[in-house]
Amino acid sequence: MLIPPAAALHPVNLTCDYRHNPIGIDDTHPRFSWIDSSPRRDQFQGAWQVLVASSPLLLSHNRGDLWNSGRVASGTASLITYSGRALTSERRAWWKVRVWNRAGQPSAFSPAARFEMGLLRPSDWHAKWIGMPALDPAAPNEPVALLRTSFILRGRIRSARWYGTALGLYQLQVNGMPATNGRLRPGWTDYHLRIPYQTLDVTRLLRPGVNAVGIRLAAGWYAGYVGFGHRRFHYGNAPRAYGQLVVRYRDGTKTTVSTGPGWAGAYGPTLGADLLMGDLRDSRREMPGWCVPVMMERWNRHFGAVQVDATPSVKQPPGTRPAPACDWPGNIPLTAESDRPVERVAAISPKVIRETAAGWVVDFGQNMVGVVHVRAFGGHSGERVTMRFGEVLNPDGSVYTTNLRGARATDVWILNGAPMQQWEPQFTFHGFRYAQITGWPGALTSANITGIVLSSARPDASAFECTNHLVNQLQHNIQWGMRGNYLEVPTDCPQRDERLGWMGDAEVFAPTACDNANVAAFLGKWMDDVDDAQSAAGGFSDVSPRLVDPADGAPAWGDAGVIVPWTLYRAYGDKRVVADHYPAMVRWLNYIRSANPDLLWVNRSNNNFGDWLNVGDDTDRALIATAFFARDADLMARMARAIGKVRDAAMYHALFQQIAAAFDRKWLLPDGAISGGTQTSYVIALQFHLLPPAARRQAAADLVAAIRKRGWHLSTGFIGTGSICQVLTDAGYADVAWRLVKNTTYPSWGYEIARGATTIWERWDGIRPNGTFEDPGMNSFNHYAFGAVGRWLIEDVAGIQSDAAHPGYAEIILNPLARGGVRSASSRIETIHGEVASAWRQEKDRFIWKVTIPANTWAEAHIPAQTIAGVTEGRRSIARAPGIHVIGMAHGALVVTVPSGSWSFHSTVPTHRRGALSR
């Protein structure tokens, strides 16, 4: 066996379709990624070999009976498409990879990873949809149904998989044990077009002999309250479960247990479970062991036959496309779950508990999204504990709930008198910092209550920190806003009667999300929702899934259907996400262009929200619309080029130039100003490159003048805020950007922080300077759109950017904003190639900068410096550092190319560089 030298690369962190060891996928050409790890500098991959085998034994003998790629000369280590034997239903595969560096030195093979196929054909499914009678529209609550069956397994069990889904939400139990930690499955889609199913490994929960499977079934998005007001049953009023358990024995035979006749159902102790309204739990009705074989008989009198449907009832919401005929169960395609489920990601202990006239008020110290876990030691049977949730407090110390509108956001727990009882709601979530509790037996302490944080994302994989406490708190607020609103779909808010996938919010925040976490699978799934919501005319929607708001998309909202795929391509280098959604993007461009032959987007602008929630500085809505029309054309040209559509790329580039020219004719004045002169008009004109080069300098100066006119404050809404600091920095006005970020008076991020914000607010003045609340009809205290400034912190202040010409951080731009704002800053982000880190500080007249660049990538580093002679790497002159190539001086910085590894740069403090103080 060839022993690799120490300098060789080592492949680690193997993923398949962005996930570790996924089971139940339906991608017949999955994509493999790994990270090339090396303790040494200047390491690049020169080739790779992937082996995929049908058993771990074969793989251990280096036999790839499903696929042996052979040695492939390539530096690519991400999204390698499987090209072996056809993958069939339930196929299990094990894979590993080895790589060669550029010197031809091989690594050892990586440890084995695995993936497993789901059920790929309609004929693989043998289940039927089951549930209880349709919900009563007159009833105030949607009870949780308990569905169960028992069966006998004869033989030694090799493996067992549950393939299942629901119209509604479900949780699976096997022999009384939970089968997964995921929540709110199967999630939310346009159910008449697509329903995701889950594959769960339940082998360890089964045994030879009598077994039982149970399903808790709740209304969820399918039948519960969603969106504005008191409306439910958007998709149907009869929640249904669907699934089958496939058990394989060691002798090669199998048993399949499917939902259908023979299952029994009852209503359990959860008398109401709703995403907006909350849970109602009567612990006196508990049925312990309701799906444990040895205990099931005692509850038989509560259970009766379930309703069995060949075709479930699923309504088509207004504005959505009709479902095409298909052979799937109920004529609704089942698709494998492609992203991670909502999970319990943290537990928070109370910071303060105090008794008030309104009850016990619990302050968790953080505006969060999730539920509470409660434990009662004592209490009489029938005592009723009521928990109301809110984000802020009234002046009298009670929890403020008026801004929740129609959402009750209330959990009710009826005690059963046991010495110790505990409860954690499973089919709801709340947006809250405070819980107001009445009816608690005795004194409430931190031993009785814990906040449970639920999310689909983990933004703590990345970090940003600097010497300014306010800016650090801003980053904290951005990450917690993302954590709370990236829950199944990117919602606008998590607390009131809305919680919709607003496209405009998602579009402006997506780049910041990609900087803070790996959201490729999350936003990739949501892009399927976006395409599902596209109208027959070609219009994307304002919200995806399309519900409550049936109109086609407004400018900057519908455009998310183009901008988010571009954002994913830029962050992860994923061409498939572009190719998969390209036809829908083409239809959207045609939708706009066909109605606006003069290339000014004034027709088919639908709701046209404009610069939503700007501060008395409304921008011409046709200007915003036309700018986004141009932006779409520009990005379409780049994406078409990326996937090899050369003619389309030329066509869309020409369209972009034509729209930009039309924009300039309409809104660019002879003196170089933009008509209207709002901050947002200048921001998007500069950001989207709509102005001729000669006008850009004047436009930037006019933007600064518009900010000065506002007392050095923002007047931007959702459209202009996210990019204003980057636009100012690129134009040489970083001092102005810093002034905006450091402000603590209204309107500013610091104003919110000074008033205790731990997430981003929907309105700049959610709490007014006089202490009163803004309009409760629309006043969320966890609304991430204004948090899009987080991209500036990581990409400009810390200076970590993906080179747009080489997406996915294959090539990295390191260019920190090292003057005028803070004395030091650091950030690390997890890319598909590994961790990139930048940490700089200024000490008197010295600039010290430590960077980490993943193996198999390189960076263009801009080192603040006065001269080349004053720059060192470690103790060596930069000109003599191995692997570093000096390009030259530019804008007060020394520009060098740097290979992978950890580096330490030192230089004298520059007198001028990109973004230096200019006023």
Side-chain angles (χ1 to χ4, degrees):
M1 178 178 177
L2 179 64
I3 300 176
L9 299 170
H10 304 282
V12 298
N13 196 35
L14 277 61
T15 60
C16 175
D17 285 348
Y18 295 110
R19 293 182 289 169
H20 292 97
N21 300 327
I23 67 171
I25 66 175
D26 59 6
D27 180 0
T28 56
H29 294 88
R31 295 174 296 167
F32 304 134
S33 301
W34 58 88
I35 290 175
D36 287 323
S37 176
S38 176
R40 300 195 178 189
R41 293 175 171 178
D42 198 8
Q43 289 295 307
F44 290 86
Q45 177 184 293
W48 55 263
Q49 180 185 14
V50 169
L51 298 180
V52 184
S54 57
S55 75
L57 180 61
L58 285 173
L59 192 68
S60 69
H61 288 91
N62 295 337
R63 291 180 56 191
D65 62 321
L66 296 179
W67 186 38
N68 182 345
S69 69
R71 186 179 188 275
V72 178
S74 170
T76 301
S78 60
L79 304 175
I80 304 294
T81 301
Y82 171 84
S83 301
R85 289 168 50 189
L87 297 172
T88 55
S89 294
E90 301 182 72
R91 164 62 73 186
R92 296 173 195 176
W94 288 259
W95 70 283
K96 62 184 180 180
V97 59
R98 65 172 171 172
V99 299
W100 287 259
N101 65 8
R102 288 191 303 189
Q105 298 168 323
S107 72
F109 274 108
S110 67
R114 61 184 173 85
F115 66 93
E116 184 176 320
M117 306 306 294
L119 302 182
L120 306 182
R121 302 169 302 176
S123 60
D124 294 327
W125 293 89
H126 309 292
K128 295 189 182 301
W129 296 90
I130 63 170
M132 301 296 282
L135 298 171
D136 181 0
N141 301 303
E142 301 96 9
V144 173
L146 306 180
L147 313 175
R148 74 181 191 189
T149 192
S150 62
F151 53 95
I152 297 174
L153 297 179
R154 305 184 186 279
R156 299 176 65 192
I157 300 167
R158 188 183 75 191
S159 66
R161 299 289 187 267
W162 167 263
Y163 304 95
T165 188
L167 290 167
L169 302 175
Y170 82 101
Q171 286 184 334
L172 183 72
Q173 287 196 5
V174 177
N175 291 328
M177 299 297 292
T180 176
N181 293 324
R183 302 281 186 101
L184 308 182
R185 281 173 153 170
W188 184 15
T189 60
D190 278 324
Y191 299 114
H192 73 294
L193 290 174
R194 178 171 51 89
I195 304 176
Y197 72 88
Q198 290 71 48
T199 302
L200 305 176
D201 182 352
V202 297
T203 308
R204 62 182 178 83
L205 302 178
L206 293 169
R207 57 180 179 264
V210 181
N211 292 263
V213 173
I215 296 172
R216 287 192 173 103
L217 180 64
W221 289 279
Y222 166 78
Y225 291 95
V226 182
F228 312 117
H230 292 77
R231 293 180 56 194
R232 55 179 171 169
F233 305 156
H234 292 279
Y235 300 97
N237 64 350
R240 292 291 181 260
Y242 183 92
Q244 60 197 50
L245 175 67
V246 179
V247 181
R248 295 190 178 275
Y249 300 106
R250 298 200 177 190
D251 64 5
T253 60
K254 74 173 183 177
T255 292
T256 300
V257 179
S258 302
T259 54
W263 282 62
Y267 288 117
T270 303
L271 306 181
D274 189 88
L275 296 170
L276 299 184
M277 302 304 175
D279 269 22
L280 168 59
R281 178 86 165 190
D282 188 344
S283 296
R284 299 168 300 178
R285 297 169 57 96
E286 296 281 2
M287 291 186 280
W290 65 274
C291 72
V292 176
V294 297
M295 302 176 68
M296 287 170 59
E297 187 175 346
R298 66 186 292 191
W299 306 113
N300 281 347
R301 62 187 177 86
H302 295 279
F303 282 79
V306 296
Q307 292 192 354
V308 180
D309 300 326
T311 303
S313 173
V314 185
K315 293 189 295 186
Q316 176 186 334
T320 57
R321 291 182 290 115
C326 67
D327 297 327
W328 288 92
N331 288 328
I332 306 172
L334 301 181
T335 60
E337 183 178 69
S338 59
D339 62 331
R340 66 190 304 165
V342 175
E343 294 177 307
R344 174 176 172 162
V345 299
I348 300 179
S349 296
K351 298 296 184 290
V352 178
I353 299 176
R354 64 182 182 277
E355 191 173 12
T356 71
W360 294 97
V361 174
V362 181
D363 178 5
F364 289 96
Q366 172 62 54
N367 197 359
M368 55 178 277
V369 173
V371 295
V372 294
H373 184 105
V374 284
R375 311 165 200 83
F377 304 96
H380 300 293
S381 178
E383 283 190 298
R384 190 182 185 96
V385 176
T386 301
M387 295 172 280
R388 189 83 162 104
F389 298 91
E391 300 175 292
V392 293
L393 296 178
N394 288 307
D396 65 0
S398 62
V399 174
Y400 177 70
T401 59
T402 311
N403 68 323
L404 304 183
R405 303 189 309 212
R408 286 199 302 269
T410 301
D411 294 336
V412 177
W413 186 26
I414 302 173
L415 304 180
N416 62 15
M420 200 287 283
Q421 307 162 65
Q422 58 183 333
W423 176 47
E424 183 178 317
Q426 300 295 307
F427 296 112
T428 190
F429 66 90
H430 310 294
F432 66 101
R433 172 174 172 171
Y434 301 94
Q436 183 170 294
I437 301 175
T438 57
W440 190 263
L444 184 71
T445 72
S446 59
N448 300 119
I449 187 167
T450 303
I452 305 302
V453 182
L454 303 177
S455 182
S456 298
R458 292 181 179 270
D460 47 1
S462 299
F464 171 87
E465 188 175 13
C466 68
T467 50
N468 185 287
H469 172 73
L470 183 146
V471 177
N472 291 339
Q473 184 65 41
L474 172 59
Q475 169 69 7
H476 171 97
N477 293 5
I478 290 166
Q479 289 194 323
W480 274 91
M482 175 182 172
R483 184 179 284 111
N485 281 289
Y486 269 41
L487 190 148
E488 180 52 28
V489 300
T491 59
D492 60 323
C493 60
Q495 72 294 97
R496 67 183 180 221
D497 62 343
E498 191 167 348
R499 311 186 196 185
L500 301 172
W502 282 99
M503 301 265 281
D505 306 51
E507 171 257 308
V508 298
F509 190 78
T512 298
C514 291
D515 284 344
N516 279 275
N518 186 337
V519 294
F522 176 82
L523 288 178
K525 174 268 177 187
W526 184 66
M527 278 308 305
D528 292 335
D529 296 329
V530 170
D531 281 9
D532 286 348
Q534 190 172 33
S535 70
F540 287 126
S541 55
D542 286 331
V543 296
S544 294
R546 187 186 290 232
L547 198 68
V548 178
D549 175 8
D552 280 347
W557 270 252
D559 301 297
V562 173
I563 294 172
V564 173
W566 164 256
T567 303
L568 293 174
Y569 171 65
R570 176 183 174 270
Y572 305 107
D574 191 342
K575 293 183 181 181
R576 185 183 290 184
V577 74
V578 173
D580 286 351
H581 300 288
Y582 190 81
M585 292 188 275
V586 169
R587 290 193 296 271
W588 170 249
L589 264 292
N590 291 340
Y591 171 88
I592 302 170
R593 187 176 186 179
S594 63
N596 298 282
D598 62 356
L599 304 183
L600 298 177
W601 189 358
V602 293
N603 301 312
R604 276 187 173 170
S605 56
N606 306 314
N607 284 323
N608 205 350
F609 301 109
D611 189 23
W612 188 249
L613 293 182
N614 67 82
V615 188
D617 198 20
D618 204 24
T619 302
D620 185 338
R621 300 190 179 198
L623 181 153
I624 293 173
T626 302
F628 273 88
F629 184 17
R631 180 63 167 169
D632 288 347
D634 181 26
L635 298 184
M636 285 292 285
R638 301 188 200 192
M639 287 187 282
R641 191 175 303 112
I643 61 175
K645 294 183 178 291
V646 179
R647 290 185 179 178
D648 281 10
M651 176 189 70
Y652 285 120
H653 180 66
L655 178 61
F656 163 70
Q657 291 179 315
Q658 293 162 7
I659 300 170
F663 179 97
D664 293 344
R665 287 193 298 271
K666 176 68 175 178
W667 287 288
L668 185 61
L669 302 178
D671 62 358
I674 294 177
S675 177
T678 66
Q679 292 179 19
T680 290
S681 67
Y682 286 110
V683 168
I684 59 177
L686 289 164
Q687 179 192 6
F688 296 167
H689 306 286
L690 300 178
L691 305 177
R696 291 182 62 84
R697 182 180 295 275
Q698 182 61 48
D702 288 346
L703 170 60
V704 173
I707 295 170
R708 183 190 299 114
K709 185 178 179 181
R710 289 276 177 160
W712 301 104
H713 283 79
L714 294 157
S715 65
T716 49
F718 279 18
I719 304 306
T721 298
S723 300
I724 191 168
C725 288
Q726 284 186 306
V727 166
L728 287 166
T729 299
D730 289 343
Y733 294 98
D735 58 321
V736 180
W738 274 118
R739 193 165 186 172
L740 294 175
V741 169
K742 289 183 172 182
N743 276 339
T744 57
T745 52
Y746 168 80
S748 67
W749 296 281
Y751 171 83
E752 300 174 6
I753 292 168
R755 278 147 187 80
T758 59
T759 46
I760 301 295
W761 293 357
E762 177 178 24
R763 293 177 176 270
W764 292 115
D765 60 344
I767 300 175
R768 300 187 183 101
N770 64 8
T772 61
F773 297 115
E774 248 288 3
D775 178 6
M778 193 178 69
N779 193 20
S780 159
F781 293 96
N782 190 353
H783 214 96
Y784 59 29
F786 286 143
V789 69
R791 180 182 182 185
W792 180 74
L793 297 178
I794 291 174
E795 297 187 15
D796 285 80
V797 177
I800 303 174
Q801 303 173 27
S802 177
D803 186 347
H806 301 90
Y809 294 91
E811 297 181 11
I812 303 159
I813 304 294
L814 296 174
N815 192 5
L817 184 58
R819 282 204 65 197
V822 292
R823 295 187 306 277
S824 70
S826 63
S827 180
R828 56 174 175 82
I829 65 173
E830 288 293 334
T831 77
I832 200 166
H833 297 288
E835 184 178 275
V836 180
S838 167
W840 61 263
R841 70 182 189 274
Q842 288 184 298
E843 295 180 353
K844 295 183 179 179
D845 62 345
R846 299 292 293 169
F847 177 78
I848 302 166
W849 187 22
K850 295 183 178 181
V851 303
T852 300
I853 303 163
N856 205 33
T857 68
W858 64 274
E860 179 183 282
H862 296 241
I863 307 168
Q866 294 175 315
T867 64
I868 296 176
V871 182
T872 61
E873 193 289 307
R875 297 182 178 182
R876 290 175 295 201
S877 166
I878 192 72
R880 296 186 177 183
I884 292 180
H885 175 68
V886 175
I887 297 175
M889 297 294 298
H891 307 292
L894 174 64
V895 183
V896 298
T897 60
V898 186
S900 66
S902 294
W903 304 84
S904 180
F905 301 115
H906 298 250
S907 68
T908 55
V909 177
T911 56
H912 177 70
R913 67 175 277 22
R914 180 184 74 103
L917 292 177
S918 52
R919 290 290 185 276

